[in-house]
Amino acid sequence: MSGKSRKRRVGLIALAVVVAAVAGLATLAVRYRNRREAMLSAGNDVVEVARGRLELVVQGSGAVKSADTATVYADAAGSVDVVMVEEGDEVLAGETVAVLDSQSVRDRIDALEKQIREIDAVIRTLRFTEGSTVIRASAAGVVKEVYAAVGDDVDAVVARSGALLLLSADGRMKTEIDVPNPDAYSPGQPVRVLVDGEPKDGVITAVDIGGSFITVTMEDDGYAADTPVTVEDSEGNTLGEGTLAVNMPLPVVESCGTIDAVYVGPGDRVSRNANLLRRKGTIPSAELTAQLDTRAGLQDDLSRARAELEECVVTAPIGGIVTALSLTPGKTLQPGALLFTVQSRSKLMLTVDVDELDISKISVGQTASVTLDALPGREFMAAVTRIDPIGVSVNKVTRFSVTLELKGAQDVLIGMSANADILAAVREDTLMIPVEAIQIIDNESRVILGDDAGTLTTANHRVVTGITDGINIEILEGLTEGDTVAVPKKSVDWMTEMFNMRRNPAFSRGEGERTPDD
C-alpha cells in the first residue's frame, strides 16, 4: 500500500472517531437535558387546603425537683447525740431524724423533782388559820375534770378522786399499747389513732426498749379519760388497743376547808394563777401559802423542762428524701443552725427554660407531656404552675423559667433529666396547609395557588396565618377549604443528581443498550 493511501485511511479512522465522540456528547447532552427538565417539572406538589386539629407545642428541658420541701433549724444551742438517718434516706412525716444531747435537761428535771419533794415535806409541817382563800392554777393548761362541787369537803374530795380538779398541761392525750417488738418503733414515728372509728393523727413519744409497750400521744379534742382507742401504723395495720389518759396531768390538790365556789368547768383553758376554786374554813397560813406558791413555780419550771426534753428529739416535718444533712454525733449546734432538709417525693415539679419568643404563648394551667431520659417509652402529664416574670440573658438570648407540676409521677426520682412539650394552643377543625407552602415577601405571608404551580416560582397570593406545629400552619384569611396551593418537593441539587447519573453505567451506554457480556 502506498503512503498516500495509508494517510487517507488514517484520516478516515480519525474522522470516524471524532464523529462518534460528537454523537456521544450529543446523546449525553440530550439525556442530561431530559433529566433536568423532568426534575424541574417535578419541583412542586399541589395540595388541598384542609381542615383538622392543630397544636402549638413549646418545648423545654430541665431537671425534676421536689415541689414541697421543709428545712429544719436548731431551736437552741446543744450537741448532737445520735443521728438516725443518712443523706438520701427516705423518711416519714414525724419520723425521728436525730436525738440531741438531753442529759443536762434530764439532770434539771431530777433536781426540780427533788426540790418539789422537799417543799412538800415542809408544807406538811405548817399551820392553818380560819378564813377563806382562792385556789389558783399553778400552771397554764386545759381543765379535764372537776371533782369538787360547792359544799364539798376538800379532804373528802381529794381522798375520793385524788384531786379537786385535773389540768392537762400540754393539751394532749396518751395511750400505752402492748406490741410484740417495741424496738421496731422509734419516738416521733407517726401513727393513726381511731377514736369511735374516727381516725386522728398521733405520734409515738416513748418506746419501752427491751420491754413490751409503746406510748402514743394525740391532740386532746375533749376526749374523756379511759376512752377506748385503736392504734394503726401509716399503712393501716393495727398495732394494738388501749385507753386514753391525760398525757401531762396536773392535779390540783389542797387540804382542809369546804368548797365555797367553782369558777371553771371541763374544757376550759386557763392561764397560770387563774382562779379555779374558792374554799373556806380552816385554811393554810400565810407561810404555808408562800410555800405553795414556791411549789407552783417549781412545778412550772418542771413542765417547761419536760417540754424541752421532748424538743431534744428532732423529727422530719414532712415525708420525703433527707438532703443537706449537717448532723454528726458530737457536733455542737448554735440556735438557727441548719440541721437538714426534707424533699417530698409525693409532689414533684419540673422547671424548664423557654425562649423569649415563645414565653408569651405560655400561661398558668396549660398542660404538658413530659418524658425522661431515665424512663424511656413512658410519658407523664404535667401542668404549668408558675412563669418567672424575670428572664435571664445568656449569649444575647433571653430565656424564662417555667415551672410545671408533674401528675402521677410514679418511679420518677428527684434530679432526673426531663423534656417537656407544653401544649400552648389548640385549634380544632381549622384550615391549614403545609408550612413549606408559605413564602414571606415584604413581611407578608404568600402562597402559590395550585393553578399557578407550573408557571410561577414566586408566591403572589396573600394569606393571613395563625399558629403552626412546624409541619402545618393555620390559615385565617385568604384561602377556603378545597383550594389548592403549591408545595415545593424535597429534592437534591441538580448538580448532585448529574454527578450520580454519570456514575450510573446505564447512563454511559443508554438505558436500552446491552453490553457484550449480556
Side-chain angles (χ1 to χ4, degrees):
M1 181 181 294
S2 66
K4 183 178 293 185
S5 297
R6 187 180 298 109
K7 288 181 180 180
R8 184 180 299 112
R9 185 174 183 180
V10 170
L12 291 174
I13 293 173
L15 178 61
V17 170
V18 170
V19 170
V22 171
L25 288 173
T27 301
L28 176 64
V30 169
R31 290 175 178 170
Y32 161 70
R33 184 176 63 254
N34 292 339
R35 296 248 180 179
R36 184 172 181 276
E37 288 177 353
M39 290 168 55
L40 291 176
S41 65
N44 289 320
D45 278 332
V46 175
V47 300
E48 282 192 1
V49 179
R51 289 188 177 274
R53 175 186 172 93
L54 199 60
E55 296 181 351
L56 173 61
V57 174
V58 176
Q59 297 180 324
S61 61
V64 176
K65 300 178 182 178
S66 171
D68 187 11
T69 63
T71 301
V72 178
Y73 300 90
D75 292 329
S79 61
V80 181
D81 189 11
V82 179
V83 180
M84 310 290 288
V85 301
E86 296 181 352
E87 179 103 4
D89 284 353
E90 186 166 6
V91 295
L92 299 174
E95 184 175 341
T96 300
V97 173
V99 178
L100 306 184
D101 183 13
S102 59
Q103 189 58 50
S104 60
V105 180
R106 295 180 187 278
D107 291 344
R108 187 159 18 111
I109 290 174
D110 291 342
L112 288 169
E113 290 177 340
K114 180 181 179 182
Q115 287 180 275
I116 291 174
R117 288 194 300 269
E118 291 173 348
I119 285 183
D120 287 344
V122 172
I123 287 174
R124 286 191 292 269
T125 67
L126 296 176
R127 64 185 177 85
F128 296 83
T129 61
E130 289 293 327
S132 66
T133 185
V134 174
I135 301 172
R136 294 181 171 85
S138 61
V142 177
V143 178
K144 288 299 298 178
E145 300 286 348
V146 178
Y147 304 116
V150 174
D152 285 348
D153 180 81
V154 172
D155 291 333
V157 174
V158 173
R160 181 180 68 244
S161 304
L164 297 175
L165 57 77
L166 181 66
L167 296 178
S168 170
D170 63 350
R172 296 183 68 82
M173 301 294 284
K174 70 177 180 180
T175 184
E176 291 182 354
I177 59 172
D178 292 329
V179 293
N181 183 19
D183 296 357
Y185 306 93
S186 60
Q189 182 176 338
V191 294
R192 184 167 55 184
V193 182
L194 301 181
V195 185
D196 294 330
E198 184 178 358
K200 298 291 182 180
D201 292 334
V203 64
I204 297 175
T205 55
V207 175
D208 183 24
I209 302 298
S212 61
F213 69 90
I214 60 175
T215 301
V216 174
T217 68
M218 59 182 290
E219 290 289 337
D220 184 3
D221 195 17
Y223 302 117
D226 298 326
T227 298
V229 296
T230 301
V231 179
E232 298 179 344
D233 62 17
S234 58
E235 297 179 354
N237 301 312
T238 300
L239 302 183
E241 298 179 346
T243 56
L244 291 179
V246 178
N247 182 49
M248 293 182 64
L250 184 58
V252 177
V253 179
E254 295 291 349
S255 61
C256 304
T258 302
I259 298 299
D260 188 39
V262 178
Y263 300 117
V264 295
D268 289 348
R269 185 172 294 276
V270 298
S271 59
R272 182 184 177 186
N273 291 326
N275 294 343
L276 303 177
L277 306 163
R278 188 178 68 201
R279 63 179 172 171
K280 65 179 180 179
T282 304
I283 58 176
S285 63
E287 185 180 359
L288 180 56
T289 301
Q291 290 291 338
L292 292 174
D293 287 342
T294 301
R295 186 189 190 283
L298 292 173
Q299 185 67 48
D300 222 10
D301 293 341
L302 181 60
S303 297
R304 285 194 294 268
R306 286 172 174 167
E308 188 177 335
L309 182 62
E310 290 188 2
E311 292 178 357
C312 290
V313 178
V314 183
T315 60
I318 61 174
I321 307 300
V322 176
T323 61
L325 182 65
S326 61
L327 294 170
T328 54
K331 181 178 180 179
T332 300
L333 301 176
Q334 297 299 325
L338 188 150
L339 304 183
F340 60 91
T341 296
V342 179
Q343 299 188 35
S344 173
R345 286 185 58 192
S346 62
K347 190 176 181 181
L348 299 178
M349 68 179 185
L350 173 66
T351 300
V352 300
D353 290 334
V354 174
D355 191 278
E356 61 182 327
L357 299 179
D358 294 324
I359 196 63
S360 62
K361 307 166 188 172
I362 305 298
S363 61
V364 172
Q366 288 176 340
T367 60
S369 61
V370 176
T371 57
L372 298 102
D373 298 342
L375 300 174
R378 298 181 62 180
E379 184 176 290
F380 301 88
M381 297 307 297
V384 176
T385 58
R386 185 178 186 275
I387 302 171
D388 197 327
I390 301 177
V392 176
S393 180
V394 178
N395 296 328
K396 297 183 179 180
V397 176
T398 301
R399 305 183 74 85
F400 292 79
S401 295
V402 175
T403 301
L404 304 98
E405 181 179 333
L406 291 169
K407 308 291 185 181
Q410 187 177 1
D411 300 327
V412 177
L413 301 180
I414 296 171
M416 282 185 172
S417 299
N419 301 297
D421 288 344
I422 304 172
L423 188 58
V426 177
R427 299 289 189 270
E428 299 286 358
D429 194 34
T430 189
L431 292 175
M432 57 184 178
I433 61 174
V435 71
E436 292 91 344
I438 299 293
Q439 294 183 27
I440 304 299
I441 300 174
D442 296 331
N443 293 322
E444 291 184 338
S445 297
R446 301 192 181 196
V447 298
I448 299 175
L449 295 177
D451 293 340
D452 299 326
T455 59
L456 295 180
T457 58
T458 300
N460 65 345
H461 186 79
R462 179 180 175 276
V463 294
V464 178
T465 60
I467 68 171
T468 177
D469 61 2
I471 299 175
N472 295 305
I473 189 167
E474 182 182 23
I475 299 299
L476 302 178
E477 295 179 13
L479 293 172
T480 59
E481 186 176 5
D483 288 346
T484 57
V485 295
V487 179
K489 284 185 177 180
K490 296 180 180 178
S491 61
V492 295
D493 181 79
W494 69 271
M495 287 293 290
T496 304
E497 178 69 11
M498 278 299 301
F499 176 77
N500 293 334
M501 289 165 58
R502 288 178 60 84
R503 290 175 59 87
N504 188 337
F507 175 78
S508 61
R509 64 176 184 269
E511 295 178 357
E513 297 179 5
R514 298 175 60 88
T515 65
D517 295 330
D518 289 344

